[in-house]
Amino acid sequence: MNLRLIIPVSCFLFLSCNQKSERLPILGNREAVTRVVDGITITDTIYQTIPSFNFVNQDKQVVSEKDFKNKIYVADFFFTSCPSICPVMHRNMLNVYDKFKNNEDVKIASHTIDYKYDTPEKLKEYATKLGIEGNQWEFLRGSRDSVYTLAERSYLVAVNEDANAPGGYIHQGWFILVDKQGRLRGAYDGTKEDQVSKLMDDMETLLKETDE
């Protein structure tokens, strides 16, 4: 996989999410659909959304897109034995979790890219070490193809196996903000505290937007 094809798109998302606006931008691919209503031509913009999925979480429960319906959420990709950026990412994600803990309109979805090692038991152990309880922060496991395709095509995040990389995998450390309609609304470098602070501010903005 050529990471250069994905990274520039993510950089664009990063820049877009920093634009100052009362409403967050809608990111990702889009298409114009024209229809005629009562003789009047109307053009609607159809935005990219996260497709249907089925994964297993740290409690061995099946989790689908329905569990995120009418919620905003933050998604990322990691693996529990990651020796590089994952520990930093999830220390920062803990700040997001703590800020929005018990807010029923907010969830977090962390997708493991290590489909061989990260069983539900391993994910549960990992979640417990982080101090995570309940299902507001889901640690999700699926097949290689289902997770990698979702990362690259839907979240626009590069992931791959690489025997020469630390831990055997490479991935980008983006936190992706998704709205209640499943649309991409922001991308943030999860290894940088200032970007995670920006994410939390944008989550507050998005919650107000969806309450309007």
Side-chain angles (χ1 to χ4, degrees):
M1 181 186 68
N2 187 343
L3 295 184
R4 290 175 296 179
L5 297 178
I6 298 177
I7 292 173
V9 175
S10 297
C11 290
F12 167 75
L13 298 183
F14 174 79
L15 293 173
S16 297
C17 73
N18 280 275
Q19 295 174 352
K20 292 184 178 180
S21 173
E22 293 181 0
R23 295 176 67 89
L24 302 180
I26 301 174
L27 311 177
N29 300 319
R30 64 194 68 192
E31 62 177 311
V33 176
T34 301
R35 56 195 175 94
V36 178
V37 179
D38 297 329
I40 300 174
T41 300
I42 299 174
T43 300
D44 296 321
T45 301
I46 306 300
Y47 295 95
Q48 172 181 339
T49 57
I50 302 302
S52 300
F53 59 81
N54 281 280
F55 298 119
V56 176
N57 72 3
Q58 68 269 28
D59 295 314
K60 300 182 181 180
Q61 297 174 336
V62 176
V63 175
S64 75
E65 77 287 348
K66 295 177 182 178
D67 294 285
F68 295 83
K69 186 177 181 180
N70 296 322
K71 301 179 187 295
I72 72 168
Y73 70 95
V74 183
D76 75 304
F77 294 82
F78 83 110
F79 58 108
T80 62
S81 59
C82 174
S84 55
I85 64 174
C86 299
V88 178
M89 288 170 59
H90 282 172
R91 280 199 299 270
N92 288 334
M93 189 72 88
L94 273 172
N95 293 328
V96 179
Y97 174 77
D98 289 338
K99 180 177 178 66
F100 295 96
K101 191 173 183 179
N102 300 321
N103 186 325
E104 294 183 354
D105 289 325
V106 177
K107 284 181 74 75
I108 301 171
S110 290
H111 301 267
T112 177
I113 61 174
D114 188 347
Y115 58 95
K116 300 174 184 176
Y117 178 80
D118 284 343
T119 62
E121 291 81 5
K122 289 293 182 182
L123 294 176
K124 184 65 174 181
E125 179 182 344
Y126 184 86
T128 300
K129 286 182 178 179
L130 286 174
I132 307 305
E133 300 176 348
N135 63 357
Q136 185 175 13
W137 187 347
E138 305 271 20
F139 296 86
L140 303 174
R141 177 179 187 263
S143 67
R144 181 191 187 283
D145 288 346
S146 64
V147 174
Y148 286 31
T149 299
L150 187 70
E152 296 170 7
R153 294 184 183 177
S154 299
Y155 290 105
L156 308 182
V157 175
V159 302
N160 204 5
E161 295 180 85
D162 186 342
N164 296 317
Y169 296 88
I170 55 175
H171 65 99
Q172 293 175 293
W174 296 103
F175 289 171
I176 306 297
L177 178 59
V178 182
D179 67 17
K180 292 184 177 183
Q181 290 74 47
R183 302 173 300 186
L184 309 182
R185 303 303 295 272
Y188 313 79
D189 187 339
T191 67
K192 296 182 178 179
E193 292 183 5
D194 61 333
Q195 282 304 301
V196 178
S197 294
K198 179 66 169 60
L199 163 62
M200 290 188 285
D201 289 343
D202 284 354
M203 291 173 70
E204 295 279 14
T205 298
L206 188 57
L207 285 170
K208 293 176 183 177
E209 174 185 317
T210 55
D211 288 339
E212 292 175 355

